[in-house]
PDB file of all heavy atoms in Angstrom:
ATOM      1  N   GLU A 333      14.521  17.910 -26.330  1.00 79.00           N
ATOM      2  CA  GLU A 333      13.793  17.097 -27.303  1.00 79.00           C
ATOM      3  C   GLU A 333      13.677  15.639 -26.870  1.00 79.00           C
ATOM      4  O   GLU A 333      12.650  15.012 -27.047  1.00 79.00           O
ATOM      5  CB  GLU A 333      14.517  17.142 -28.661  1.00 79.00           C
ATOM      6  CG  GLU A 333      14.571  18.528 -29.267  1.00 79.00           C
ATOM      7  CD  GLU A 333      13.312  18.849 -30.057  1.00 79.00           C
ATOM      8  OE1 GLU A 333      13.142  18.260 -31.124  1.00 79.00           O
ATOM      9  OE2 GLU A 333      12.513  19.675 -29.580  1.00 79.00           O
ATOM     10  N   LEU A 334      14.777  15.116 -26.353  1.00 73.00           N
ATOM     11  CA  LEU A 334      14.835  13.678 -26.094  1.00 73.00           C
ATOM     12  C   LEU A 334      14.814  13.304 -24.627  1.00 73.00           C
ATOM     13  O   LEU A 334      14.647  12.139 -24.282  1.00 73.00           O
ATOM     14  CB  LEU A 334      16.091  13.074 -26.745  1.00 73.00           C
ATOM     15  CG  LEU A 334      16.187  13.210 -28.253  1.00 73.00           C
ATOM     16  CD1 LEU A 334      17.528  12.694 -28.750  1.00 73.00           C
ATOM     17  CD2 LEU A 334      15.048  12.469 -28.947  1.00 73.00           C
ATOM     18  N   GLY A 335      14.994  14.296 -23.765  1.00 70.00           N
ATOM     19  CA  GLY A 335      14.915  14.038 -22.338  1.00 70.00           C
ATOM     20  C   GLY A 335      15.899  12.988 -21.881  1.00 70.00           C
ATOM     21  O   GLY A 335      17.078  13.016 -22.245  1.00 70.00           O
ATOM     22  N   VAL A 336      15.377  12.043 -21.105  1.00 65.00           N
ATOM     23  CA  VAL A 336      16.204  10.980 -20.551  1.00 65.00           C
ATOM     24  C   VAL A 336      17.034  10.294 -21.635  1.00 65.00           C
ATOM     25  O   VAL A 336      18.192   9.962 -21.427  1.00 65.00           O
ATOM     26  CB  VAL A 336      15.307   9.944 -19.843  1.00 65.00           C
ATOM     27  CG1 VAL A 336      16.089   8.699 -19.514  1.00 65.00           C
ATOM     28  CG2 VAL A 336      14.730  10.550 -18.582  1.00 65.00           C
ATOM     29  N   ALA A 337      16.413  10.112 -22.791  1.00 63.00           N
ATOM     30  CA  ALA A 337      17.100   9.408 -23.867  1.00 63.00           C
ATOM     31  C   ALA A 337      18.352  10.154 -24.301  1.00 63.00           C
ATOM     32  O   ALA A 337      19.300   9.558 -24.793  1.00 63.00           O
ATOM     33  CB  ALA A 337      16.163   9.226 -25.057  1.00 63.00           C
ATOM     34  N   ALA A 338      18.353  11.479 -24.102  1.00 61.00           N
ATOM     35  CA  ALA A 338      19.507  12.264 -24.520  1.00 61.00           C
ATOM     36  C   ALA A 338      20.622  12.220 -23.493  1.00 61.00           C
ATOM     37  O   ALA A 338      21.779  12.422 -23.825  1.00 61.00           O
ATOM     38  CB  ALA A 338      19.089  13.721 -24.747  1.00 61.00           C
ATOM     39  N   HIS A 339      20.250  11.951 -22.260  1.00 54.00           N
ATOM     40  CA  HIS A 339      21.236  12.089 -21.186  1.00 54.00           C
ATOM     41  C   HIS A 339      22.463  11.233 -21.372  1.00 54.00           C
ATOM     42  O   HIS A 339      23.566  11.626 -21.059  1.00 54.00           O
ATOM     43  CB  HIS A 339      20.594  11.784 -19.830  1.00 54.00           C
ATOM     44  CG  HIS A 339      19.718  12.900 -19.393  1.00 54.00           C
ATOM     45  ND1 HIS A 339      18.704  12.744 -18.487  1.00 54.00           N
ATOM     46  CD2 HIS A 339      19.697  14.192 -19.760  1.00 54.00           C
ATOM     47  CE1 HIS A 339      18.094  13.899 -18.322  1.00 54.00           C
ATOM     48  NE2 HIS A 339      18.677  14.780 -19.083  1.00 54.00           N
ATOM     49  N   TRP A 340      22.262  10.050 -21.887  1.00 45.00           N
ATOM     50  CA  TRP A 340      23.443   9.201 -22.006  1.00 45.00           C
ATOM     51  C   TRP A 340      24.288   9.525 -23.224  1.00 45.00           C
ATOM     52  O   TRP A 340      25.352   8.978 -23.425  1.00 45.00           O
ATOM     53  CB  TRP A 340      23.078   7.739 -21.931  1.00 45.00           C
ATOM     54  CG  TRP A 340      22.049   7.272 -22.924  1.00 45.00           C
ATOM     55  CD1 TRP A 340      20.714   7.349 -22.777  1.00 45.00           C
ATOM     56  CD2 TRP A 340      22.285   6.670 -24.187  1.00 45.00           C
ATOM     57  NE1 TRP A 340      20.085   6.834 -23.867  1.00 45.00           N
ATOM     58  CE2 TRP A 340      21.023   6.399 -24.745  1.00 45.00           C
ATOM     59  CE3 TRP A 340      23.437   6.326 -24.899  1.00 45.00           C
ATOM     60  CZ2 TRP A 340      20.882   5.801 -25.992  1.00 45.00           C
ATOM     61  CZ3 TRP A 340      23.285   5.733 -26.148  1.00 45.00           C
ATOM     62  CH2 TRP A 340      22.014   5.478 -26.677  1.00 45.00           C
ATOM     63  N   GLN A 341      23.818  10.463 -24.037  1.00 43.00           N
ATOM     64  CA  GLN A 341      24.653  10.889 -25.152  1.00 43.00           C
ATOM     65  C   GLN A 341      25.613  11.977 -24.710  1.00 43.00           C
ATOM     66  O   GLN A 341      26.657  12.174 -25.283  1.00 43.00           O
ATOM     67  CB  GLN A 341      23.794  11.436 -26.279  1.00 43.00           C
ATOM     68  CG  GLN A 341      22.877  10.391 -26.871  1.00 43.00           C
ATOM     69  CD  GLN A 341      21.899  11.041 -27.810  1.00 43.00           C
ATOM     70  OE1 GLN A 341      22.229  11.989 -28.502  1.00 43.00           O
ATOM     71  NE2 GLN A 341      20.685  10.527 -27.817  1.00 43.00           N
ATOM     72  N   TYR A 342      25.209  12.709 -23.685  1.00 37.00           N
ATOM     73  CA  TYR A 342      26.039  13.803 -23.212  1.00 37.00           C
ATOM     74  C   TYR A 342      26.540  13.528 -21.827  1.00 37.00           C
ATOM     75  O   TYR A 342      25.762  13.264 -20.923  1.00 37.00           O
ATOM     76  CB  TYR A 342      25.244  15.109 -23.216  1.00 37.00           C
ATOM     77  CG  TYR A 342      25.125  15.663 -24.589  1.00 37.00           C
ATOM     78  CD1 TYR A 342      24.030  15.373 -25.388  1.00 37.00           C
ATOM     79  CD2 TYR A 342      26.151  16.455 -25.101  1.00 37.00           C
ATOM     80  CE1 TYR A 342      23.929  15.859 -26.668  1.00 37.00           C
ATOM     81  CE2 TYR A 342      26.057  16.947 -26.393  1.00 37.00           C
ATOM     82  CZ  TYR A 342      24.949  16.649 -27.168  1.00 37.00           C
ATOM     83  OH  TYR A 342      24.869  17.143 -28.429  1.00 37.00           O
ATOM     84  N   LYS A 343      27.823  13.568 -21.702  1.00 33.00           N
ATOM     85  CA  LYS A 343      28.364  13.279 -20.400  1.00 33.00           C
ATOM     86  C   LYS A 343      28.891  14.565 -19.757  1.00 33.00           C
ATOM     87  O   LYS A 343      29.549  14.551 -18.744  1.00 33.00           O
ATOM     88  CB  LYS A 343      29.492  12.258 -20.534  1.00 33.00           C
ATOM     89  CG  LYS A 343      29.198  10.957 -19.824  1.00 33.00           C
ATOM     90  CD  LYS A 343      30.276   9.927 -20.093  1.00 33.00           C
ATOM     91  CE  LYS A 343      31.612  10.335 -19.499  1.00 33.00           C
ATOM     92  NZ  LYS A 343      31.632  10.450 -18.052  1.00 33.00           N
ATOM     93  N   LYS A 344      28.536  15.683 -20.376  1.00 28.00           N
ATOM     94  CA  LYS A 344      29.153  16.932 -19.936  1.00 28.00           C
ATOM     95  C   LYS A 344      28.402  17.599 -18.793  1.00 28.00           C
ATOM     96  O   LYS A 344      27.277  17.241 -18.480  1.00 28.00           O
ATOM     97  CB  LYS A 344      29.231  17.900 -21.113  1.00 28.00           C
ATOM     98  CG  LYS A 344      30.278  17.481 -22.119  1.00 28.00           C
ATOM     99  CD  LYS A 344      30.470  18.600 -23.088  1.00 28.00           C
ATOM    100  CE  LYS A 344      31.348  18.170 -24.251  1.00 28.00           C
ATOM    101  NZ  LYS A 344      31.256  19.125 -25.345  1.00 28.00           N
ATOM    102  N   GLY A 345      29.029  18.617 -18.286  1.00 31.00           N
ATOM    103  CA  GLY A 345      28.544  19.358 -17.105  1.00 31.00           C
ATOM    104  C   GLY A 345      27.119  19.852 -17.172  1.00 31.00           C
ATOM    105  O   GLY A 345      26.248  19.197 -17.717  1.00 31.00           O
ATOM    106  N   ASN A 346      26.874  20.959 -16.612  1.00 32.00           N
ATOM    107  CA  ASN A 346      25.604  21.682 -16.443  1.00 32.00           C
ATOM    108  C   ASN A 346      24.325  20.839 -16.428  1.00 32.00           C
ATOM    109  O   ASN A 346      23.236  21.316 -16.701  1.00 32.00           O
ATOM    110  CB  ASN A 346      25.490  22.864 -17.421  1.00 32.00           C
ATOM    111  CG  ASN A 346      25.353  22.440 -18.889  1.00 32.00           C
ATOM    112  OD1 ASN A 346      24.891  21.335 -19.177  1.00 32.00           O
ATOM    113  ND2 ASN A 346      25.747  23.316 -19.786  1.00 32.00           N
ATOM    114  N   LEU A 347      24.437  19.581 -16.094  1.00 33.00           N
ATOM    115  CA  LEU A 347      23.248  18.774 -15.845  1.00 33.00           C
ATOM    116  C   LEU A 347      23.114  18.547 -14.341  1.00 33.00           C
ATOM    117  O   LEU A 347      22.247  17.830 -13.898  1.00 33.00           O
ATOM    118  CB  LEU A 347      23.372  17.410 -16.517  1.00 33.00           C
ATOM    119  CG  LEU A 347      23.320  17.393 -18.036  1.00 33.00           C
ATOM    120  CD1 LEU A 347      23.568  15.994 -18.526  1.00 33.00           C
ATOM    121  CD2 LEU A 347      21.985  17.900 -18.515  1.00 33.00           C
ATOM    122  N   SER A 348      24.061  19.185 -13.619  1.00 33.00           N
ATOM    123  CA  SER A 348      24.156  18.838 -12.198  1.00 33.00           C
ATOM    124  C   SER A 348      22.823  19.030 -11.486  1.00 33.00           C
ATOM    125  O   SER A 348      22.161  20.028 -11.660  1.00 33.00           O
ATOM    126  CB  SER A 348      25.220  19.689 -11.523  1.00 33.00           C
ATOM    127  OG  SER A 348      24.762  21.018 -11.474  1.00 33.00           O
ATOM    128  N   PRO A 349      22.457  18.049 -10.718  1.00 32.00           N
ATOM    129  CA  PRO A 349      21.158  18.091 -10.048  1.00 32.00           C
ATOM    130  C   PRO A 349      21.110  19.254  -9.060  1.00 32.00           C
ATOM    131  O   PRO A 349      22.052  19.485  -8.333  1.00 32.00           O
ATOM    132  CB  PRO A 349      21.107  16.762  -9.278  1.00 32.00           C
ATOM    133  CG  PRO A 349      22.279  15.968  -9.732  1.00 32.00           C
ATOM    134  CD  PRO A 349      23.265  16.915 -10.307  1.00 32.00           C
ATOM    135  N   ASP A 350      20.050  19.970  -9.062  1.00 33.00           N
ATOM    136  CA  ASP A 350      19.916  21.052  -8.088  1.00 33.00           C
ATOM    137  C   ASP A 350      18.885  20.673  -7.027  1.00 33.00           C
ATOM    138  O   ASP A 350      18.370  21.509  -6.317  1.00 33.00           O
ATOM    139  CB  ASP A 350      19.523  22.353  -8.777  1.00 33.00           C
ATOM    140  CG  ASP A 350      18.194  22.232  -9.484  1.00 33.00           C
ATOM    141  OD1 ASP A 350      17.651  21.106  -9.501  1.00 33.00           O
ATOM    142  OD2 ASP A 350      17.707  23.238  -9.998  1.00 33.00           O
ATOM    143  N   GLY A 351      18.590  19.421  -6.949  1.00 30.00           N
ATOM    144  CA  GLY A 351      17.665  18.960  -5.901  1.00 30.00           C
ATOM    145  C   GLY A 351      16.225  19.090  -6.314  1.00 30.00           C
ATOM    146  O   GLY A 351      15.327  18.715  -5.580  1.00 30.00           O
ATOM    147  N   LYS A 352      15.986  19.630  -7.501  1.00 31.00           N
ATOM    148  CA  LYS A 352      14.599  19.843  -7.897  1.00 31.00           C
ATOM    149  C   LYS A 352      14.059  18.721  -8.782  1.00 31.00           C
ATOM    150  O   LYS A 352      12.869  18.581  -8.948  1.00 31.00           O
ATOM    151  CB  LYS A 352      14.472  21.175  -8.633  1.00 31.00           C
ATOM    152  CG  LYS A 352      14.548  22.353  -7.674  1.00 31.00           C
ATOM    153  CD  LYS A 352      14.010  23.591  -8.337  1.00 31.00           C
ATOM    154  CE  LYS A 352      13.737  24.657  -7.280  1.00 31.00           C
ATOM    155  NZ  LYS A 352      13.106  25.835  -7.833  1.00 31.00           N
ATOM    156  N   GLN A 353      14.962  17.963  -9.343  1.00 31.00           N
ATOM    157  CA  GLN A 353      14.512  16.878 -10.199  1.00 31.00           C
ATOM    158  C   GLN A 353      13.832  15.795  -9.384  1.00 31.00           C
ATOM    159  O   GLN A 353      14.012  15.698  -8.183  1.00 31.00           O
ATOM    160  CB  GLN A 353      15.694  16.232 -10.940  1.00 31.00           C
ATOM    161  CG  GLN A 353      16.290  17.108 -12.002  1.00 31.00           C
ATOM    162  CD  GLN A 353      17.477  17.874 -11.447  1.00 31.00           C
ATOM    163  OE1 GLN A 353      17.620  17.991 -10.235  1.00 31.00           O
ATOM    164  NE2 GLN A 353      18.290  18.392 -12.344  1.00 31.00           N
ATOM    165  N   TYR A 354      13.077  15.013 -10.070  1.00 34.00           N
ATOM    166  CA  TYR A 354      12.537  13.833  -9.406  1.00 34.00           C
ATOM    167  C   TYR A 354      13.711  12.969  -8.979  1.00 34.00           C
ATOM    168  O   TYR A 354      14.723  12.911  -9.659  1.00 34.00           O
ATOM    169  CB  TYR A 354      11.651  13.041 -10.372  1.00 34.00           C
ATOM    170  CG  TYR A 354      10.349  13.706 -10.610  1.00 34.00           C
ATOM    171  CD1 TYR A 354      10.098  14.335 -11.819  1.00 34.00           C
ATOM    172  CD2 TYR A 354       9.376  13.740  -9.624  1.00 34.00           C
ATOM    173  CE1 TYR A 354       8.898  14.968 -12.051  1.00 34.00           C
ATOM    174  CE2 TYR A 354       8.168  14.371  -9.850  1.00 34.00           C
ATOM    175  CZ  TYR A 354       7.930  14.980 -11.068  1.00 34.00           C
ATOM    176  OH  TYR A 354       6.748  15.602 -11.282  1.00 34.00           O
ATOM    177  N   THR A 355      13.551  12.329  -7.866  1.00 40.00           N
ATOM    178  CA  THR A 355      14.676  11.559  -7.344  1.00 40.00           C
ATOM    179  C   THR A 355      15.202  10.565  -8.354  1.00 40.00           C
ATOM    180  O   THR A 355      16.403  10.383  -8.486  1.00 40.00           O
ATOM    181  CB  THR A 355      14.281  10.802  -6.069  1.00 40.00           C
ATOM    182  OG1 THR A 355      12.934  10.396  -6.214  1.00 40.00           O
ATOM    183  CG2 THR A 355      14.449  11.658  -4.849  1.00 40.00           C
ATOM    184  N   TRP A 356      14.301   9.930  -9.063  1.00 42.00           N
ATOM    185  CA  TRP A 356      14.791   8.908  -9.994  1.00 42.00           C
ATOM    186  C   TRP A 356      15.558   9.527 -11.144  1.00 42.00           C
ATOM    187  O   TRP A 356      16.537   8.986 -11.621  1.00 42.00           O
ATOM    188  CB  TRP A 356      13.660   8.029 -10.490  1.00 42.00           C
ATOM    189  CG  TRP A 356      12.595   8.731 -11.265  1.00 42.00           C
ATOM    190  CD1 TRP A 356      11.627   9.528 -10.764  1.00 42.00           C
ATOM    191  CD2 TRP A 356      12.380   8.685 -12.662  1.00 42.00           C
ATOM    192  NE1 TRP A 356      10.824   9.982 -11.758  1.00 42.00           N
ATOM    193  CE2 TRP A 356      11.248   9.478 -12.938  1.00 42.00           C
ATOM    194  CE3 TRP A 356      13.027   8.032 -13.716  1.00 42.00           C
ATOM    195  CZ2 TRP A 356      10.749   9.646 -14.221  1.00 42.00           C
ATOM    196  CZ3 TRP A 356      12.520   8.206 -15.000  1.00 42.00           C
ATOM    197  CH2 TRP A 356      11.398   9.004 -15.242  1.00 42.00           C
ATOM    198  N   LEU A 357      15.149  10.731 -11.527  1.00 45.00           N
ATOM    199  CA  LEU A 357      15.872  11.409 -12.595  1.00 45.00           C
ATOM    200  C   LEU A 357      17.241  11.815 -12.080  1.00 45.00           C
ATOM    201  O   LEU A 357      18.244  11.710 -12.780  1.00 45.00           O
ATOM    202  CB  LEU A 357      15.075  12.635 -13.050  1.00 45.00           C
ATOM    203  CG  LEU A 357      15.429  13.175 -14.428  1.00 45.00           C
ATOM    204  CD1 LEU A 357      15.299  12.102 -15.487  1.00 45.00           C
ATOM    205  CD2 LEU A 357      14.536  14.352 -14.763  1.00 45.00           C
ATOM    206  N   ARG A 358      17.263  12.255 -10.831  1.00 45.00           N
ATOM    207  CA  ARG A 358      18.534  12.603 -10.221  1.00 45.00           C
ATOM    208  C   ARG A 358      19.425  11.361 -10.162  1.00 45.00           C
ATOM    209  O   ARG A 358      20.606  11.422 -10.426  1.00 45.00           O
ATOM    210  CB  ARG A 358      18.316  13.179  -8.821  1.00 45.00           C
ATOM    211  CG  ARG A 358      19.578  13.784  -8.261  1.00 45.00           C
ATOM    212  CD  ARG A 358      19.304  14.720  -7.104  1.00 45.00           C
ATOM    213  NE  ARG A 358      18.602  14.074  -6.029  1.00 45.00           N
ATOM    214  CZ  ARG A 358      17.447  14.489  -5.548  1.00 45.00           C
ATOM    215  NH1 ARG A 358      16.846  15.539  -6.053  1.00 45.00           N
ATOM    216  NH2 ARG A 358      16.866  13.856  -4.558  1.00 45.00           N
ATOM    217  N   GLY A 359      18.779  10.244  -9.836  1.00 48.00           N
ATOM    218  CA  GLY A 359      19.509   8.974  -9.806  1.00 48.00           C
ATOM    219  C   GLY A 359      20.136   8.689 -11.158  1.00 48.00           C
ATOM    220  O   GLY A 359      21.300   8.313 -11.260  1.00 48.00           O
TER     221      GLY A 359
END
Side-chain angles (χ1 to χ4, degrees):
E333 297 275 289
L334 299 175
V336 168
H339 286 158
W340 55 275
Q341 296 170 36
Y342 283 93
K343 243 174 66 63
K344 288 191 189 165
N346 68 25
L347 291 175
S348 69
D350 61 355
K352 285 197 165 185
Q353 290 95 342
Y354 286 107
T355 35
W356 62 285
L357 200 56
R358 191 162 58 237

